Amino acid sequence: YRSPVGDPPITEEDLEELLQELRDIVEQIDYARAFCSLQGLPFLLGCIQQEQVPVSIRQVCLGILSTLGQNNPPVQQQLLEMGAIKTLSDLFFDAKTTNATKTKIMQTLSSIV
């Protein structure tokens, strides 16, 4: 359904807020597993790799990945099978990656191993 006048475009701040809500939801272990079964992990891993995605959004996605993997072995296993460690380490060693993003990457790595 589309409104006749059209919806206003989603701003970066709106998207960041929605992703923060997602992070709050997946803090519950069952919801984290459900998110993974809905194929949410490839989306998040894809977002963090895209240079076109704003840094703030990429950092929120890293935070969600960290939340998903923390103390959740089935999610950790899925991330390992998807090659998340290589993806994260490649991003960490990329010269364009900021220190703030590197911190988020380390947090995410520690949550999934």
Side-chain angles (χ1 to χ4, degrees), residues 48 58 62 86-94 97 101 105:
I48 64 170
R58 293 168 80 185
L62 283 164
K86 177 163 180 12
T87 300
L88 292 166
S89 59
D90 288 348
L91 185 58
F92 184 87
F93 291 110
D94 187 330
T97 302
T101 302
I105 292 168

Side-chain angles (χ1 to χ4, degrees), residues 29-74:
I29 212 161
D30 292 333
Y31 291 145
R33 291 179 185 169
F35 179 80
C36 294
S37 69
L38 294 170
Q39 300 303 308
L41 293 177
F43 169 78
L44 293 173
L45 286 171
C47 281
I48 64 170
Q49 296 177 72
Q50 298 300 314
E51 291 183 18
Q52 301 88 339
V53 175
V55 172
S56 64
I57 300 302
R58 293 168 80 185
Q59 289 178 350
V60 174
C61 289
L62 283 164
I64 295 170
L65 283 169
S66 178
T67 300
L68 285 163
Q70 191 167 7
N71 302 319
N72 198 337

